[in-house]
Amino acid sequence: DTAVSQTPKYLVTQMGNDKSIKCEQNLGHDTMYWYKQDSKKFLKIMFSYNNKELIINETVPNRFSPKSPDKAHLNLHINSLELGDSAVYFCASTLAGSYEQYFGPGTRLTVT
Amino acid sequence: AQSVTQLGSHVSVSEGALVLLRCNYSSSVPPYLFWYVQYPNQGLQLLLKYTTGATLVKGINGFEAEFKKSETSFHLTKPSAHMSDAAEYFCAVSGAANTGNQFYFGTGTSLTVIP
């Protein structure tokens, strides 16, 4: 069983479009994250949700909007895509107090 | 505030040689330290972690790391490199729950194993 899953795995789209990435975890965790990994492999946290409540919101353009319908899901919607949004986006989850994060396989977003 | 520095963005070793990947951290609270590995086109997989207790921690695939508070280091080692160890390695630090269990990752070290 996949612990943290993301869909889609690959996403190719044009500038100006709006797209969503979905994440689901079946680990019973209560905290979920979105990370962006750029072409140089640098990992930067974007958002964190705990029990559907936003607790970390790093400086990212407001074109990015996370949504957590329940503890097991955290989606990322991106409006008006730009070339610089091309990256691999990782979802992760953890149980508060465990300090260990489990990562999804990533979504490679390419904006043309 | 917390941060991680990984010395050496690229490390090459011969198959069978010692692997040493360096990680130094700064943290204003007792740190929790992690090493993750990322194989090409895959997500991050936990290799090992230090939270409390024994400072020498053993992980998967023969890797281990030692927490040295006096040196603020958490270097990753493996006695004998295998070709399958070629990957990107990330060191990370996490602090207290009031940071939302936020991880701070290093910039990564790409390990190449030469046959």
Side-chain angles (χ1 to χ4, degrees), chain A residues 7-13 18-21 78 81 87 107-111:
Chain A
T7 53
K9 189 170 176 62
Y10 299 97
L11 183 55
V12 181
T13 188
D18 303 338
K19 292 293 179 184
S20 292
I21 307 171
I78 315 170
L81 278 154
T107 296
R108 183 174 295 277
L109 171 66
T110 303
V111 182

Short mmCIF file of all heavy atoms in Angstrom, two decimals, chain A residues 7-13 18-21 78 81 87 107-111:
data_model
loop_
_atom_site.label_atom_id
_atom_site.label_comp_id
_atom_site.label_asym_id
_atom_site.label_seq_id
_atom_site.Cartn_x
_atom_site.Cartn_y
_atom_site.Cartn_z
N THR A 7 -0.91 12.76 -7.25
CA THR A 7 -1.35 12.71 -8.63
C THR A 7 -1.46 14.11 -9.18
O THR A 7 -1.90 15.03 -8.47
CB THR A 7 -2.73 12.01 -8.76
OG1 THR A 7 -3.66 12.64 -7.87
CG2 THR A 7 -2.63 10.53 -8.43
N PRO A 8 -1.05 14.31 -10.43
CA PRO A 8 -0.39 13.33 -11.28
C PRO A 8 1.10 13.22 -10.98
O PRO A 8 1.63 14.01 -10.20
CB PRO A 8 -0.61 13.92 -12.68
CG PRO A 8 -0.58 15.41 -12.43
CD PRO A 8 -1.22 15.62 -11.08
N LYS A 9 1.77 12.30 -11.58
CA LYS A 9 3.22 12.16 -11.42
C LYS A 9 3.95 13.15 -12.33
O LYS A 9 4.99 13.68 -11.96
CB LYS A 9 3.66 10.74 -11.75
CG LYS A 9 5.12 10.45 -11.41
CD LYS A 9 5.43 8.99 -11.51
CE LYS A 9 6.91 8.70 -11.27
NZ LYS A 9 7.34 9.09 -9.92
N TYR A 10 3.40 13.37 -13.50
CA TYR A 10 3.95 14.35 -14.45
C TYR A 10 2.84 15.27 -14.89
O TYR A 10 1.70 14.84 -15.10
CB TYR A 10 4.55 13.65 -15.67
CG TYR A 10 5.69 12.71 -15.35
CD1 TYR A 10 5.47 11.35 -15.21
CD2 TYR A 10 6.98 13.20 -15.20
CE1 TYR A 10 6.51 10.49 -14.91
CE2 TYR A 10 8.03 12.34 -14.91
CZ TYR A 10 7.78 10.99 -14.75
OH TYR A 10 8.82 10.13 -14.47
N LEU A 11 3.19 16.53 -15.05
CA LEU A 11 2.22 17.53 -15.47
C LEU A 11 2.92 18.52 -16.38
O LEU A 11 3.84 19.21 -15.95
CB LEU A 11 1.62 18.22 -14.25
CG LEU A 11 0.52 19.26 -14.47
CD1 LEU A 11 -0.64 18.69 -15.25
CD2 LEU A 11 0.03 19.78 -13.11
N VAL A 12 2.51 18.56 -17.63
CA VAL A 12 3.06 19.51 -18.59
C VAL A 12 1.93 20.43 -19.02
O VAL A 12 0.86 19.97 -19.43
CB VAL A 12 3.65 18.80 -19.82
CG1 VAL A 12 4.23 19.83 -20.79
CG2 VAL A 12 4.71 17.79 -19.40
N THR A 13 2.16 21.73 -18.91
CA THR A 13 1.11 22.68 -19.19
C THR A 13 1.71 23.98 -19.70
O THR A 13 2.92 24.19 -19.63
CB THR A 13 0.27 22.93 -17.94
OG1 THR A 13 -0.87 23.73 -18.27
CG2 THR A 13 1.09 23.64 -16.86
N ASP A 18 -4.23 27.09 -15.16
CA ASP A 18 -4.43 26.76 -13.76
C ASP A 18 -4.42 25.25 -13.62
O ASP A 18 -5.07 24.55 -14.40
CB ASP A 18 -5.79 27.29 -13.26
CG ASP A 18 -5.96 28.78 -13.45
OD1 ASP A 18 -4.94 29.48 -13.56
OD2 ASP A 18 -7.12 29.23 -13.49
N LYS A 19 -3.68 24.76 -12.62
CA LYS A 19 -3.59 23.31 -12.43
C LYS A 19 -3.61 22.96 -10.95
O LYS A 19 -3.30 23.80 -10.09
CB LYS A 19 -2.30 22.75 -13.05
CG LYS A 19 -2.25 22.82 -14.57
CD LYS A 19 -3.29 21.88 -15.18
CE LYS A 19 -3.25 21.96 -16.70
NZ LYS A 19 -4.32 21.14 -17.32
N SER A 20 -3.95 21.71 -10.68
CA SER A 20 -3.97 21.22 -9.30
C SER A 20 -3.17 19.93 -9.17
O SER A 20 -3.12 19.13 -10.10
CB SER A 20 -5.40 20.96 -8.84
OG SER A 20 -6.13 22.15 -8.72
N ILE A 21 -2.56 19.78 -8.03
CA ILE A 21 -1.85 18.55 -7.67
C ILE A 21 -2.51 18.02 -6.40
O ILE A 21 -2.80 18.79 -5.48
CB ILE A 21 -0.36 18.80 -7.39
CG1 ILE A 21 0.30 19.54 -8.57
CG2 ILE A 21 0.36 17.49 -7.14
CD1 ILE A 21 1.72 20.00 -8.26
N ILE A 78 -2.59 25.85 -8.37
CA ILE A 78 -1.72 26.91 -8.86
C ILE A 78 -2.42 27.64 -9.99
O ILE A 78 -2.82 27.04 -10.99
CB ILE A 78 -0.37 26.35 -9.37
CG1 ILE A 78 0.19 25.31 -8.40
CG2 ILE A 78 0.62 27.49 -9.57
CD1 ILE A 78 1.38 24.55 -8.95
N LEU A 81 -0.04 29.84 -14.19
CA LEU A 81 1.28 29.23 -14.12
C LEU A 81 2.33 30.02 -14.88
O LEU A 81 2.07 30.56 -15.97
CB LEU A 81 1.21 27.79 -14.63
CG LEU A 81 0.71 26.80 -13.58
CD1 LEU A 81 0.06 25.59 -14.21
CD2 LEU A 81 1.85 26.40 -12.66
N ALA A 87 9.13 22.66 -11.62
CA ALA A 87 9.87 22.08 -10.50
C ALA A 87 9.24 20.73 -10.19
O ALA A 87 8.26 20.33 -10.82
CB ALA A 87 9.80 22.98 -9.27
N THR A 107 5.62 15.24 -7.93
CA THR A 107 4.94 15.61 -9.17
C THR A 107 5.86 16.54 -9.93
O THR A 107 6.21 17.61 -9.44
CB THR A 107 3.60 16.31 -8.89
OG1 THR A 107 2.71 15.42 -8.25
CG2 THR A 107 2.98 16.81 -10.20
N ARG A 108 6.27 16.11 -11.12
CA ARG A 108 7.15 16.95 -11.93
C ARG A 108 6.30 17.85 -12.80
O ARG A 108 5.61 17.39 -13.71
CB ARG A 108 8.08 16.09 -12.79
CG ARG A 108 9.07 16.92 -13.62
CD ARG A 108 10.06 16.03 -14.34
NE ARG A 108 10.93 15.30 -13.42
CZ ARG A 108 12.03 15.81 -12.88
NH1 ARG A 108 12.41 17.04 -13.18
NH2 ARG A 108 12.77 15.08 -12.08
N LEU A 109 6.33 19.13 -12.50
CA LEU A 109 5.55 20.13 -13.23
C LEU A 109 6.46 20.84 -14.23
O LEU A 109 7.51 21.38 -13.85
CB LEU A 109 4.94 21.14 -12.27
CG LEU A 109 4.28 22.38 -12.89
CD1 LEU A 109 3.05 21.97 -13.70
CD2 LEU A 109 3.89 23.38 -11.81
N THR A 110 6.07 20.84 -15.47
CA THR A 110 6.80 21.55 -16.52
C THR A 110 5.87 22.56 -17.16
O THR A 110 4.80 22.20 -17.67
CB THR A 110 7.31 20.58 -17.59
OG1 THR A 110 8.13 19.58 -16.98
CG2 THR A 110 8.13 21.32 -18.64
N VAL A 111 6.27 23.82 -17.09
CA VAL A 111 5.47 24.89 -17.68
C VAL A 111 6.18 25.37 -18.94
O VAL A 111 7.36 25.73 -18.90
CB VAL A 111 5.29 26.06 -16.69
CG1 VAL A 111 4.41 27.14 -17.31
CG2 VAL A 111 4.70 25.56 -15.38
#
